[in-house]
Amino acid sequence: MNPRTRGTVIRVVPALLLVAVALAGPWLAPHAVDAPVTAPYAEPGADAVLGGDQLGRDVLSRLLAGGRELVLSSLLVAFLVTGTAAVLGAVGAVRPLVGRIVERIADVLMLLPAVLGILLVTLSWPGGGRLAVIAAAVALGVPYAVRLAAGAAAPVAATGYVESAAAGGERLWYLVLREILPNLRATLLALFGLRFVAAVYLVATAGFLQVGPQPPAADWALMIRENSPGLLLNPWAVVAPSFAIGLLALSVNLAAAALAPQTGRKAVPVL
């Protein structure tokens, strides 16, 4: 195994393990997530390895069960934002008028603060729950991503083979899907990692504000909010989900960067 492959494996495996544990967590929990097993804010012991939360429920069980929805929601948001931005950016690079319209709309939408945008969408969509949070995160993420995708697609659209294909009468979808997007793999993978981190932040913020998942659901952000009054009695009820959110965002971002093709400058030997 060469050094580059070894480095890629080292950066990808932790993300895969963490995502796998988060997805399988509800089946790995030793106790029911909504049943008290110890005293409120009890310290770690034999019955609860990470102690109890504000109702005496097992923190470890709720930690294992509370990450799946966050991971799935963040992956879906990152995928939708990256895909939409890639297509809009590539179309804007081929059709300058469309590109200018998309950029002006993106400039306006970027003026809206993220937290305010989440509150506007979720509070105007009663009962929307996590679906409303996902819709808000996609709407808030596309304007940033499309500017980056458009900047990366413009030089590709100006290359000779794309201009030759356009002069040959190829359709817009062919230029976008066959000529431009395949040459943006590195940029789009890096963009996916960044948008995943942003999605984790937005979805967790919505959970903390209780405009997404509602109690008694097991959710990492909800755990932080619910157990913060007992931080001094059992810190694990707050520290463990906080650490899990940070580790998830960091590991997936590193994995996306490791999987992106290397397109940087190469060293030139000096004679």
Side-chain angles (χ1 to χ4, degrees):
M1 184 181 296
N2 59 55
R4 169 167 165 72
T5 303
R6 188 183 306 114
T8 301
V9 171
I10 291 174
R11 295 168 69 179
V12 170
V13 168
L16 293 177
L17 288 177
L18 186 58
V19 170
V21 171
L23 295 178
W27 295 287
L28 301 176
H31 299 288
V33 297
D34 55 354
V37 298
T38 185
Y41 297 125
E43 296 181 351
D47 293 335
V49 176
L50 295 179
D53 67 357
Q54 87 277 21
L55 296 178
R57 297 169 296 193
D58 183 27
V59 170
L60 176 61
S61 298
R62 294 181 66 79
L63 180 68
L64 289 171
R68 182 169 63 179
E69 297 299 327
L70 175 62
V71 169
L72 292 177
S73 299
S74 300
L75 286 175
L76 180 60
V77 170
F79 177 78
L80 291 176
V81 169
T82 304
T84 304
V87 172
L88 289 177
V91 170
V94 178
R95 299 285 187 266
L97 176 60
V98 176
R100 285 194 291 272
I101 294 174
V102 170
E103 290 181 0
R104 295 295 85 78
I105 295 175
D107 290 342
V108 173
L109 292 177
M110 281 192 293
L111 297 176
L112 183 65
V115 175
L116 179 59
I118 287 180
L119 291 175
L120 286 175
V121 174
T122 53
L123 295 180
S124 61
W125 188 349
R130 194 172 291 274
L131 185 59
V133 174
I134 292 174
V138 172
L140 293 168
V142 167
Y144 292 93
V146 74
R147 295 303 300 266
L148 196 154
V156 179
T159 54
Y161 62 91
V162 175
E163 293 180 345
S164 176
E170 296 291 354
R171 295 179 181 273
L172 178 62
W173 69 265
Y174 179 89
L175 298 176
V176 170
L177 299 180
R178 300 296 299 274
E179 301 290 353
I180 297 178
L181 292 184
N183 291 290
L184 299 178
R185 293 192 302 275
T187 301
L188 295 181
L189 271 173
L191 180 61
F192 179 85
L194 293 174
R195 297 324 307 175
F196 180 84
V197 174
V200 169
Y201 165 72
L202 289 176
V203 175
T205 300
F208 187 81
L209 296 175
Q210 291 189 351
V211 294
Q214 299 294 318
D219 182 89
W220 289 349
L222 269 180
M223 291 176 66
I224 298 172
R225 179 187 177 96
E226 293 174 342
N227 297 305
S228 56
L231 177 63
L232 298 180
L233 298 175
N234 181 22
W236 288 111
V238 175
V239 172
S242 302
F243 182 75
I245 291 174
L247 188 62
L248 173 68
L250 178 63
S251 61
V252 173
N253 194 25
L254 288 176
L259 292 173
Q262 300 297 312
T263 58
R265 296 178 177 176
K266 295 182 179 179
V268 178
V270 178
L271 298 177

